[in-house]
Amino acid sequence: MTTPPTAATPAQTAVLLVGLEAIGLAPRLEVSGYSTQQQEPGDALPAAVILSPGCEQRIPELRRRLGARPLLLGISSDSVESRSHCLEWGADDFWLPSLGTSDLLTRLRLHLALAQRQAPTPVSALLTLANLRIDPVARQGWRGQRQLSLTAREYQLLLLLLRHRGSVVSRERILEEIWADQGGGASNVIEVYVRYLRQKLEQEGESRLIHTVRGRGYCLSEGRPPAGPVP
C-alpha cells in the first residue's frame, strides 16, 4: 500500500498526465515544481491526474486504481454542457487548454491543498461503520465488497462524516473543511454532494447511513442520529 505525499510543496508532488494535450503540459508543470508521470502508475502513485479532452473514458479505471485523488479533465469549450459532461464522468474539475496553464495550475493547487488538509497520520487504520470501510491511506472506500467510485470532494466529505460517525457535523464545519476555497458561495453544494454520496452508498439497495438533521447538519450512523451537541 503506497502512502500519499505528506508535504504540501509541489516539488514533492507527482502528477500523472493522460493524453497528448496533457503530456504537452509537462515542461510548464515541471518548471512550477511538480514532477510528472506519463506512464501508468506503478508503486509510486501520483497525487493528481490531468486528462486531455476526450480522455474521460479513462476516469472509471483510474478511480478504481487511484482512489479519490483529484482528476482534472480538459474540456474543449467553457459551456454548461461541457462542464456537466466533465462532472458526469466523475472528474473533480475541468481545465480549458485554450486558457493556457495559469488557470489549470490554480485549480490543481486548490485540489492538492484540500487533499493535504485531510491527509492521514503516518499510521492509519481502516475507518468503518456497518459494512462501510474507508482506507485513508489508499483514499479508497467500500460498501460491503463493492468498491466505491468517489471523486476527491465526495471522498473528503465522506471521510469527515466517518471520522465523526455517530455525531452531527454542522453545515458550517463542512463548508469550512471541505469548501474553504469557495467561501460562502458553496452553501447549496453540500446538499448536492450528500445526494451524490447517498446514491453511491445505496446503489444496491443498502440501508441509509447519511442522515439529515434539520437545522443542525448531517450525521453518519447506522440508526437514528443522536440528539447530542454538534462538533
Side-chain angles (χ1 to χ4, degrees):
M1 187 177 297
T2 303
T3 303
T6 56
T9 56
Q12 295 177 296
T13 302
V15 179
L16 175 64
L17 307 177
V18 178
L20 291 177
E21 287 183 81
I23 291 173
L25 300 171
R28 181 67 176 86
L29 287 166
E30 290 166 2
V31 166
S32 299
Y34 295 90
S35 63
T36 60
Q37 301 175 355
Q38 299 179 18
Q39 303 293 328
E40 292 299 316
D43 292 333
L45 298 181
V49 183
I50 298 174
L51 299 101
S52 299
C55 289
E56 56 268 25
Q57 293 183 353
R58 295 287 307 280
I59 293 176
E61 173 198 358
L62 289 167
R63 281 280 177 232
R64 284 192 297 271
R65 300 195 302 111
L66 301 182
R69 286 167 175 78
L71 304 185
L72 282 68
L73 175 67
I75 58 176
S76 56
S77 63
D78 188 8
S79 64
V80 173
E81 182 180 11
S82 294
R83 295 185 185 199
S84 298
H85 178 78
C86 170
L87 298 177
E88 286 168 1
W89 272 98
D92 295 290
D93 207 344
F94 65 90
W95 63 282
L96 277 163
S98 60
L99 292 182
T101 57
S102 295
D103 181 67
L104 169 63
L105 288 169
T106 298
R107 293 173 185 272
L108 181 59
R109 281 194 296 269
L110 284 173
H111 284 284
L112 291 173
L114 178 60
Q116 180 64 29
R117 285 204 301 270
Q118 294 203 343
T121 54
V123 177
S124 181
L126 288 175
L127 297 174
T128 64
L129 176 71
N131 65 346
L132 172 65
R133 294 173 292 133
I134 292 290
D135 184 337
V137 173
R139 298 174 64 83
Q140 293 180 335
W142 298 263
R143 185 82 196 259
Q145 298 301 312
R146 175 169 57 86
Q147 184 174 348
L148 301 171
S149 179
L150 302 173
T151 67
R153 199 86 72 165
E154 290 168 351
Y155 165 80
Q156 287 146 4
L157 175 56
L158 183 58
L159 182 62
L160 175 63
L161 294 174
L162 189 53
R163 282 175 169 163
H164 297 283
R165 52 196 177 278
S167 301
V168 180
V169 183
S170 69
R171 292 171 49 86
E172 292 75 18
R173 180 163 187 175
I174 293 172
L175 284 176
E176 179 184 353
E177 295 201 20
I178 309 301
W179 279 278
D181 56 296
Q182 295 183 18
S187 59
N188 294 327
V189 80
I190 300 176
E191 287 85 353
V192 174
Y193 275 82
V194 166
R195 185 173 73 251
Y196 290 161
L197 278 176
R198 283 173 173 161
Q199 290 172 349
K200 293 181 178 182
L201 292 175
E202 303 167 18
Q203 182 177 317
E204 297 184 359
E206 295 96 339
S207 60
R208 175 148 297 183
L209 294 179
I210 301 178
H211 305 276
T212 302
V213 183
R214 293 189 180 278
R216 300 177 64 208
Y218 296 91
C219 177
L220 190 73
S221 64
E222 285 191 76
R224 190 171 181 175
V230 177

